[in-house]
C-alpha cells in the first residue's frame, strides 16, 4: 500500500469507528483529493463529514478548535505546511493552551495534517517543514510518519488522541509503498529503529529516513552498517530510543528535513550530547536545508536539500573512511518519478 | 420585558456583575489581585440581555472583558474571585486569571485575551451543533475593534455560507484601548460593513437592557424564520480605563461625561428606571442590592483566604 | 478605446501574453519547465487593460497567476522564459520560478504564491506614496478566492480609512482551484460584500478588454474626484486547469464550454472583433501575431540554451 | 537612562537622521506610549511618522513590507510578542524571502519590535518570547537587547540595516537603568561579554542576563566567578564569542528566556558541544521555561520562569559545590517593582 493510501485508510477507519470524526479543509473533496490522500472519504462518509471550505486558514483552525471542544474530532488538512503560518495564532495562542488556561475544563481532540512540499520548483513559499516550530509549544503533539505503516497507524492514534496532534507528511513519501497491517497500533511519541547497525546512528526525520536508507545500502556494501532511528515524533520526543542507539554506536548524524539553525536538529543533538557525554567518539553532526529560502530552479534546489550523499560523506568523515565511489549509484529516484505541474 | 418577575431576575444579574466589579475596584489597590482586569462597567446589559434570550443549552464565547458574561452564566462569585486572586479554587485553578474565565458546564466555552480569537471558535461550535443535528444556539461576544481583524470576516463568511445558528454580538464602545473608531474604520458604519453578508443585522443601544432583550428576541425570531446567522450591533459607554480599576478621563483622549450623560449610559441606573415603571420599589431594589453585596463580599473574603495552587499543579492540564 | 493606434498597442500586449502561454503549453510536456505554471488564458484582458489606464510610474502587485501582468509591464519574454526554465538569466535568477515573477524597475513590485499575501503589501506601497507626497498609483490583482482571506478585509479597511490611492482588482473566475464560488461565499455578491466600505466599487466583464479599460478609467476619474480607493470586480473564464498546461473539463467539476461560449469569453477573439470595427484588417493582425510569435519562439529557445545558476548563487540574495 | 528611554531615543535619532523612518502599530502614539518606549515621537515627528492603526496585525506586517520595498524604513511595534503569531504568514512567507524570490531585486529594510510580557498575571497569551522561532527563518535578523546601551545602539543598527530585523524587548527590562553613550555603535549579530569570570560561562538571553548578573554576584561572594555572555542576537548568531569563553571555562549554562524543548537553547548548546568537543568538563546545561503554557497565578508563575536561583543551583551542581545559603538574598527585585494592572 502506498503512503497516500495508508493516510486515507487511517482516516477512513477512524471515521467508521466514530461518527464524531470529520475531515475538512481547502480542496479536500475535489477530484485531486489532496494528492489522493483523502480518496473515497466523501463517497463513503458524505459531504457533511468530508468537505471543502473557503480560503480562510486562520478561521478554519479556530473552527476546528470550536468543534473539538464541542465533542467532535476534526481533521483539518493543509496541502502545504507553509499555509500553517496563517494559523499560528489559533495554534499557538488557543489550541495549544486552551485546556491549560481553562484549568483542565476543556478537551481539545483535533488533528491538523500538513504536507511538506517538494517537487517541480515549489520554491520558497511551498516547501517549508515547520515541525520543530510546533514542537516548541507545550500542549501540541507533532508526528512525522515516513512509512506507510506509520502513516496509517499514527493517523489513527492521532485521531483517537484527546489532544491536538499535528501530522507532517512529505510529498515525496506519498508514492512510497510498504506493507500495512491494519491491526498494528503505534503510540504517538515513540521513535522507531528502522535499520540496525553498529557503526553510526542516523536520527532521521521524515523524508530523510528514505535518504538514510539509501546511504545505508551504499555503505553496507563496504561493510559499514548504519543504524537508523526514525524520529517519527518531535513532540513528545522519544529520547530513550535514540540514546540507547547512540550509546552503542558512539556516533550520530541528525538528519533533519528543515533548516538547521534554530531547528529541531539542535534539540536532538543537545539531548544526545547531554546524555552521551564522554561516550561519543565524534561530535554529533547535523544535516538539513542550507540556510536560504528554498530556490525554484532544480540546480539550486538540489544543493539546498540534504541527501543520501551528504549522509554518506558525513559518515565517512566521522568514521575516518575514504570516500566511496558513488559513480554507479542511483540517487534521488523519487524526484525522477515526480512530474509537474505541482 | 414580559413581567416584573423577569425584570427582577435580570436586575439581579445586572447588579451581580456591577457589584462584583465595584468590589474589584475597591480591592485592586491592595495589589493582591495580580491579574489584569478589563472591567465591563457600562456594558453589563449586553451579556445579561443576550444570554437571557437564548435557550438553556446555548454555548457562549467571549473576550478578556468577560466578567459579566461569566457571572451571568454561572452566578459563581466564589470561583470568580478565587480566580482573580489566583487561588486553587478559582474558576481556572489559578491558571486562567481574569482574562480566561471559562465555565463549559454552564455554556461559557472559551474566552481569550487575543482579540477576535474566539470568533472562529464559536463558529466551530455552531458547526458542531449543526453536525450533530442539535438545536443548540451559539453566541459570541466581541468588541468593535475585533471587527478589524481578518478572522472576523473569515468567520462571518463561513457562518453565513453554512447558515449556522450563531449570533455575532458586537459590543461597540467606540474604543480599542484609547483609539477611537474614527481612526480605525474604513467602512461607513458597522451595520453597513456587514450588510452584504447573508445574515440578519440588528442595531441598538446596548446600555438599555430592555433594548438588548428586544433586539436579541427579534434576532432569534428572524433566525428561526430565515435560518441565517445574526449580527447584533450594540453600543455602550466604557466608564473606566481599558484595563484596570480606575477612571481615566484625565488622560485626555476622551471627555469626561457629565452627570446626566453618565445616567444616560449607565445600564444599572437605566434599568432601575424601568423597574420603577414596572412597580418595583426602591426598598425592593435595595434589598436585592444588599443581598448581592453580601454574596460578593463573602466570596471575595473567601478568595483572599483560600490556598494557592501547589507546585505540582504547574504541570497538570497541559494534556488530557 | 480612443484610437486605432491605442487599440493596436493593447492588442500586442494581449497577444504577447497569449502566445507566450500557448508556447508554455507546447513546451511543458518535455518536463524541462520545472515550475508550476498557473496560466492566465482567458484572463489576459484584465492586467492588460488596467495597466494601460494607469500612469507610467504606477506600482503593481500580483499573484502566482502573473504571466500576463509580467509581460504587459516588461515585454521581457527573454527573462520570462529563462525564469521558467530556471536559468541564471531568468527574471529571478532561477530563484523565482513562474509564481514569483517580479520586475520592480517596471513597477511589478511583488507577486506571491500564497493567496492574498500581496494585498497588504500593495496597501503599504500606496501608503508609502502618500507618505512621500508622490502621486504614484498602486494596483493589486487577486483572485476571487483571495477575498475570503481575512487579510483582504484588513487591507481594504486600512486603505479606505486612509483614503489611499489604490485599485483593488478582483479577477473573478468563480473558481478557487476546483471550488465554485457558491461553496465559498457567505455574501450576496462580491460588489455587495465590499459595499459598506468607503471605496468606489465597479463591476464589469473582464473578458472584454474595452470594458476593462472603460471601468478602470471610470475608477481613475472617480478616485481623482473623491479620493478613496477603488474596488474593481472583473469576471472572466479560466480556460485551463488551475495549474498546468491542460484543459480539465473532463474532470467533471464544471462543464466544457461550447464553441460559441468559448468565443464569448476569449479576450483575444473578442478584441479582434473590436479591432475589425476599428478598421484593422486580418492581415494586419496576422502580421502582429507572427512578429510576436517569432519573439516568443526566440526567447524560449534562448532560455532552453541558457546556463543554469552556479552553486554559489544558492547563497546570494538572502540579505542585502 | 532607562531601557525604555533608550529605545525611544534610538528611534528618535534615526527619525531625525532619515525622513524615511516611521513608527507605527496599535496604540503606538496613545498616552501610554507602549510602556513609554515611543515617548515624544509623535510630538517631534508628527502623526504621519508615528501613528496608531486598526487591529490588523497581519495586514500591518504586509503594509510594513510594502512600505519597505517602496523605499521607506518602517518600524512596526507590537505590545506583546504573542501577537506576532498573527503575522507569521507575512514574516515567514514574504518578508524573510521576498528578496531571495525576486533574485535580489527588492530590498526589505524594516524593523519589527515586540515586547515579551511578564508581570501581573499575563498568563498564556501575553508572555511568549518566540525569538528562536524567528531565528529559524533565513532572511531575518533577530536581536534581544538586555541593557540600555544595547537598546539604543541595536535599535539604531536595526533601523539602518537594509534587511528585516526583529527586536524582542522583555517588559521588565524597561525599568533597568544604565549609561547610554549616544556615540556607541553596536553591530547586529554580535554577542557581548558582560561579565568576566573563569569558573563557568552563562550564555544569557534577554532578561536572563539580569538573573545571571544576580547569580554571579551571589556566587562571587564565595569566590566563584561566572562569565556572562549576553547572546544579544540569535540571528545571526555570534558563535565565536561564546566558544572563546567556554573554551576557557570548560563549563556552560545556556539561560534562555523561552521554553527549552525545540527552542533556541538547543541551538546554542549544540554549537558549543560541537566546537568544544572533548574540552567541556561537564555537559552543557539549559535553563528556560517549564514545558507548560504560562499560568496566571504568581505562585505558579514563579515556578514556571527560570531565575537567578536556578542559575546558582545549576552552577553549584556543575562545579561540585555545596549549596549556597540564599536566605539573606533579595531576588526578583524587578517583579517587586512591577505593579498592575498590565
Ligand atoms: C490580536 C490582538 N491585538 C492587540 C491586542 C491588544 N489589545 C487588547 S484589547 C485591545 C482593544 C480591543 O478593542 P475592542 O475589540 O473594541 O474591545 P474592548 O476592549 O473595547 O472591549 C487591544 C488592541 C490584543 N489583545 N490582541
Ligand atoms: C493561503 C493559501 N491557501 C491556499 C492556497 C492553495 N491555493 C493556491 S491557488 C488557490 C485558489 C485561489 O483562488 P483565487 O484567489 O480565486 O485565484 P485563481 O487561482 O482563481 O486565480 C488555492 C486555494 C494558497 N496558495 N495559499
Ligand atoms: Mg471597543
Ligand atoms: Mg478564482
Amino acid at each position: 500500500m502506498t503512503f497516500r493510501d495508508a493516510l486515507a485508510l487511517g482516516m477512513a477507519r477512524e471515521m467508521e469507528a466514530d461518527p464524531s470524526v470529520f475531515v475538512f479543509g481547502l480542496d479536500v473533496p475535489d477530484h485531486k483529493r489532496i494528492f489522493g490522500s483523502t480518496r473515497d472519504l466523501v463517497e463513503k462518509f458524505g459531504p457533511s463529514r468530508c468537505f471543502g471550505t473557503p480560503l480562510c486558514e486562520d478561521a478554519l483552525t479556530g473552527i476546528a478548535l470550536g468543534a473539538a471542544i464541542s465533542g467532535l474530532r476534526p481533521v483539518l488538512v493543509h496541502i502545504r505546511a507553509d499555509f500553517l503560518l496563517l494559523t499560528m495564532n489559533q495554534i499557538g495562542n488557543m489550541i495549544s493552551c486552551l485546556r491549560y488556561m481553562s484549568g483542565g475544563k476543556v478537551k481539545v481532540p483535533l488533528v491538523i495534517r500538513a504536507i511538506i512540499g517538494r517537487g517541480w520548483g515549489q520554491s520558497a513559499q511551498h516547501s517549508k517543514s515547520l515541525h520543530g516550530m510546533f514542537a516548541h509549544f507545550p500542549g501540541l503533539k507533532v508526528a512525522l510518519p515516513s512509512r506507510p505503516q506509520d502513516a496509517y497507524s499514527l493517523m489513527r492514534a492521532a485521531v483517537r488522541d484527546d489532544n491536538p496532534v499535528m501530522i507532517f507528511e512529505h510529498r515525496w513519501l506519498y508514492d512510497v509503498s510498504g506493507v500495512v497491517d491494519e491491526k498494528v497500533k503505534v503510540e504517538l511519541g515513540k521513535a522507531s529503529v528502522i535499520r540496525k547497525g553498529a557503526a553510526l546512528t542516523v536520527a532521521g526525520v521524515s523524508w530523510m529516513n528514505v535518504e538514510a536508507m539509501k546511504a545505508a545500502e551504499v555503505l553496507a556494501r563496504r561493510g559499514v552498517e548504519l543504524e537508523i532511528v526514525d524520529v517519527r515524533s518531535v513532540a513528545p520526543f522519544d529520547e530513550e530510543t535514540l540514546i540507547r542507539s547512540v550509546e552503542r554506536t558512539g556516533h550520530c548524524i541528525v538528519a533533519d528535513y528543515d533548516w538547521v539553525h534554530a531547528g529541531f536538529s539542535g534539540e536532538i543533538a543537545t539531548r544526545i550530547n547531554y546524555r552521551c557525554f564522554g561516550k561519543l567518539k565524534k561530535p554529533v553532526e547535523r544535516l538539513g536545508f542550507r540556510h536560504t529560502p528554498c530556490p525554484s530552479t532544480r540546480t539550486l534546489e538540489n544543493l539546498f536539500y540534504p541527501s543520501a550523499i551528504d549522509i554518506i560523506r558525513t559518515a565517512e568523515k566521522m568514521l575516518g573512511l575514504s570516500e566511496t565511489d558513488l559513480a554507479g549509484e542511483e540517487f534521488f529516484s523519487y524526484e525522477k518519478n515526480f512530474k509537474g505541474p505541482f | 420585558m414580559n413581567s416584573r418577575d423577569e425584570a427582577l431576575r435580570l436586575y439581579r444579574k445586572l447588579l451581580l456583575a456591577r457589584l462584583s466589579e465595584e468590589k474589584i475596584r475597591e480591592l485592586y489597590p491592595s495589589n493582591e489581585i495580580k491579574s489584569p482586569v478589563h472591567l465591563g462597567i457600562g456594558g453589563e446589559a449586553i451579556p445579561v440581555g443576550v444570554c437571557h434570550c437564548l435557550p438553556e443549552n446555548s454555548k457562549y464565547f467571549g473576550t478578556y472583558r468577560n466578567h459579566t458574561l461569566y457571572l451571568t452564566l454561572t452566578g459563581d462569585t466564589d470561583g470568580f474571585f478565587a480566580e482573580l486572586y489566583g487561588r486553587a479554587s478559582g474558576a481556572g485553578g489559578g491558571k486562567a486569571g481574569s482574562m480566561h474565565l471559562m465555565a463549559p458546564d454552564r455554556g461559557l466555552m472559551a474566552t481569550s485575551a487575543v482579540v477576535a480569537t474566539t470568533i472562529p471558535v464559536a463558529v466551530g461550535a455552531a458547526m458542531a451543533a449543526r453536525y450533530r443535528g442539535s438545536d443548540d444556539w451559539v453566541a459570541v461576544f466581541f468588541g468593535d475593534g475585533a471587527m478589524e481583524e481578518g478572522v472576523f470576516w473569515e468567520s462571518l463568511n463561513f457562518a453565513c455560507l453554512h447558515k449556522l445558528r450563531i449570533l455575532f454580538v458586537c459590543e461597540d464602545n467606540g474604543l480599542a484601548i484609547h483609539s477611537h473608531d474614527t481612526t480605525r474604520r474604513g467602512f461607513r458604519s458597522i451595520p453597513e460593513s456587514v450588510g452584504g453578508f447573508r445574515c440578519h443585522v440588528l442595531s441598538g443601544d446596548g446600555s438599555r437592557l430592555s433594548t438588548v432583550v428586544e433586539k436579541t428576541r427579534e434576532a432569534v425570531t428572524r433566525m428561526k424564520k430565515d435560518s441565517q446567522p445574526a449580527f447584533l450591533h450594540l453600543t455602550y459607554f466604557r466608564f473606566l480605563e481599558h484595563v484596570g480599576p480606575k477612571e481615566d478621563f484625565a488622560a485626555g483622549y476622551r471627555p469626561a461625561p457629565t452627570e446626566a450623560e453618565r445616567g444616560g449610559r449607565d445600564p444599572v441606573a437605566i434599568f432601575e428606571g424601568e423597574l420603577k415603571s414596572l412597580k418595583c420599589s426602591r426598598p425592593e431594589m435595595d434589598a436585592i442590592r444588599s443581598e448581592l453585596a453580601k454574596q460578593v463580599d463573602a466570596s471575595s473574603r473567601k478568595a483572599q483566604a483560600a490556598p494557592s495552587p501547589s507546585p505540582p499543579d504547574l504541570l497538570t492540564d497541559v494534556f488530557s
Side-chain angles (χ1 to χ4, degrees), chain A, chain B:
Chain A
M1 186 183 298
T2 62
F3 189 91
R4 67 160 57 75
D5 289 340
L7 291 167
L9 184 65
M11 287 185 289
R13 288 287 176 261
E14 286 305 317
M15 291 174 87
E16 282 160 12
D18 183 349
S20 66
V21 180
F22 67 96
V23 180
F24 76 123
L26 279 68
D27 310 306
V28 162
D30 75 10
H31 60 280
K32 299 254 173 144
R33 300 292 159 93
I34 310 289
F35 308 122
S37 69
T38 57
R39 209 173 61 189
D40 292 343
L41 298 183
V42 67
E43 287 78 3
K44 275 193 204 150
F45 304 101
S48 69
R49 296 185 64 194
C50 176
F51 56 94
T53 68
L55 284 94
C56 54
E57 287 84 354
D58 186 1
L60 294 180
T61 312
I63 287 167
L65 173 57
I69 63 175
S70 304
L72 302 185
R73 293 185 173 269
V75 179
L76 174 58
V77 187
H78 296 282
I79 204 161
R80 283 290 178 261
D82 309 68
F83 306 153
L84 289 171
L85 294 179
L86 280 156
T87 72
M88 293 294 298
N89 186 40
Q90 283 293 331
I91 294 179
N93 282 330
M94 293 290 287
I95 286 175
S96 60
C97 53
L98 192 66
R99 179 174 174 78
Y100 195 81
M101 295 192 304
S102 74
K105 285 182 175 173
V106 298
K107 207 172 73 174
V108 184
L110 64 83
V111 177
I112 297 175
R113 287 180 47 198
I115 295 168
I116 302 171
R118 186 166 174 191
W120 231 248
Q122 294 292 299
S123 76
Q125 298 179 323
H126 279 58
S127 53
K128 295 187 192 70
S129 296
L130 307 177
H131 50 277
M133 209 166 90
F134 291 102
H136 187 53
F137 290 88
L140 300 178
K141 300 187 180 184
V142 183
L144 302 94
S146 79
R147 325 194 112 190
Q149 179 70 60
D150 285 347
Y152 168 82
S153 299
L154 287 174
M155 180 65 70
R156 295 204 65 171
V159 175
R160 290 195 167 218
D161 203 283
D162 277 342
N163 301 290
V165 182
M166 304 187 65
I167 301 185
F168 287 84
E169 308 153 9
H170 191 284
R171 176 68 183 83
W172 285 6
L173 290 169
Y174 273 48
D175 299 309
V176 171
S177 281
V179 177
V180 172
D181 179 344
E182 288 202 34
K183 286 179 295 299
V184 170
K185 292 198 173 163
V186 178
E187 220 180 304
L188 290 166
K190 296 287 173 217
S192 159
V193 180
I194 59 172
R195 188 182 196 281
K196 301 290 289 177
L200 181 150
T201 303
V202 178
V205 176
S206 187
W207 173 257
M208 291 311 291
N209 286 293
V210 178
E211 300 282 347
M213 290 299 272
K214 175 69 192 175
E217 177 199 317
V218 171
L219 288 173
R221 280 192 224 117
R222 57 189 287 195
V224 177
E225 298 293 345
L226 300 186
E227 177 141 317
I228 303 175
V229 179
D230 182 350
V231 165
R232 278 203 307 207
S233 171
V234 291
F237 176 63
D238 178 3
E239 188 174 299
E240 299 310 321
T241 299
L242 191 56
I243 297 298
R244 270 197 303 277
S245 173
V246 181
E247 275 178 346
R248 272 191 299 99
T249 63
H251 287 105
C252 184
I253 296 173
V254 177
D256 196 8
Y257 195 85
D258 196 0
W259 292 297
V260 173
H261 186 68
F264 197 76
S265 63
E267 184 63 32
I268 302 179
T270 298
R271 290 181 186 231
I272 296 170
N273 284 314
Y274 191 81
R275 293 280 303 277
C276 301
F277 189 75
K279 295 180 213 160
L280 288 169
K281 292 174 203 151
K282 285 282 159 62
V284 176
E285 294 282 347
R286 293 189 287 168
L287 295 175
F289 303 163
R290 299 298 296 276
H291 204 62
T292 73
C294 178
S296 173
T297 187
R298 182 70 52 92
T299 336
L300 298 183
E301 220 185 10
N302 285 341
L303 299 167
F304 173 80
Y305 286 112
S307 72
I309 300 179
D310 298 307
I311 296 173
I312 292 167
R313 294 298 179 229
T314 307
E316 288 163 348
K317 203 182 65 179
M318 291 173 82
L319 299 172
L321 302 172
S322 62
E323 289 201 350
T324 314
D325 177 8
L326 302 176
E329 299 292 344
E330 265 273 24
F331 290 105
F332 304 118
S333 54
Y334 285 98
E335 192 191 10
K336 286 197 187 123
N337 289 340
F338 196 99
K339 288 289 169 283
F342 200 67
Chain B
M1 234 49 55
N2 292 327
S3 70
R4 200 173 167 286
D5 245 36
E6 187 186 11
L8 283 174
R9 257 185 295 132
L10 281 166
Y11 182 56
R12 297 182 76 92
K13 300 222 165 197
L14 204 58
L15 207 54
L16 186 66
R18 173 64 58 87
L19 295 176
S20 296
E21 294 205 319
E22 288 295 354
K23 178 57 79 178
I24 293 170
R25 299 189 65 198
E26 177 192 324
L27 294 167
Y28 211 74
S30 73
N31 284 319
E32 286 307 314
I33 295 180
K34 293 185 205 295
S35 170
V37 286
H38 299 79
L39 301 184
I41 291 179
E44 298 96 335
I46 300 173
V48 168
V50 170
C51 297
H52 180 70
C53 302
L54 297 188
E56 241 332 273
N57 284 326
S58 302
K59 308 272 184 241
Y60 298 93
F61 293 81
T63 69
Y64 46 89
R65 203 179 298 287
N66 57 39
H67 295 174
T68 303
L69 185 57
Y70 181 85
L71 291 168
T72 291
L73 291 172
T74 66
D76 171 32
T77 44
D78 277 359
F80 176 76
F81 279 101
E83 188 58 36
L84 291 180
Y85 278 91
R87 305 309 186 205
S89 53
K95 285 166 179 165
S98 155
M99 302 197 288
H100 308 297
L101 291 166
M102 304 180 209
D105 54 329
R106 303 297 308 147
L108 182 50
M109 302 301 292
T111 55
S112 166
V114 181
V115 172
T117 36
T118 53
I119 301 176
V121 185
V123 172
M127 203 192 64
R130 154 79 50 79
Y131 185 94
R132 280 198 304 248
S134 99
D135 55 6
D136 288 356
W137 292 68
V138 173
V140 55
F141 298 84
F142 50 87
D144 53 308
M147 290 187 60
E148 295 149 26
E149 293 284 359
V151 75
F152 164 75
W153 300 92
E154 295 185 356
S155 304
L156 180 68
N157 186 53
F158 191 97
C160 293
L161 172 68
H162 289 286
K163 300 177 182 296
L164 298 179
R165 190 173 269 189
I166 180 169
L167 277 88
F168 293 92
V169 185
C170 178
E171 306 177 309
D172 179 11
N173 57 16
L175 291 172
I177 309 191
H178 315 112
S179 301
H180 292 277
D181 48 10
T182 49
T183 65
R184 297 182 282 110
R185 297 183 189 163
F187 41 80
R188 272 178 271 279
S189 72
I190 286 181
E192 284 170 282
S193 74
V194 298
F197 284 78
R198 295 198 301 263
C199 60
H200 307 287
V201 182
L202 301 96
S203 282
D205 179 354
S207 314
R208 308 190 78 82
L209 183 45
S210 54
T211 305
V212 176
V213 168
E214 180 201 320
K215 293 291 167 189
T216 311
R217 289 206 168 127
E218 192 183 327
V220 167
T221 309
R222 285 167 66 177
M223 288 166 81
K224 280 185 178 156
K225 204 154 70 192
D226 181 0
S227 80
Q228 288 184 345
F231 183 96
L232 225 58
H233 171 231
L234 298 165
T235 52
Y236 80 95
F237 182 76
R238 189 186 85 202
F239 277 80
L240 304 179
E241 56 187 336
H242 168 70
V243 55
K246 302 192 193 126
E247 288 192 346
D248 68 346
F249 301 111
Y253 68 93
R254 57 173 181 163
T258 62
E259 273 315 305
E261 281 164 349
R262 276 177 187 272
R265 310 258 29 201
D266 177 348
V268 174
I270 295 169
F271 197 62
E272 286 180 344
E274 298 196 16
L275 283 176
K276 271 185 217 140
S277 59
L278 282 168
K279 306 266 180 312
C280 302
S281 66
R282 183 40 76 188
E284 199 171 0
M285 290 185 237
D286 286 347
I288 292 173
R289 184 180 282 263
S290 76
E291 178 202 331
L292 295 177
K294 263 191 217 125
Q295 175 187 339
V296 164
D297 206 57
S299 291
S300 69
R301 276 175 209 283
K302 221 190 289 181
Q304 287 168 67
S308 288
S310 53
D313 294 338
L314 175 68
L315 303 176
T316 59
D317 304 326
V318 179
F319 287 118
S320 298

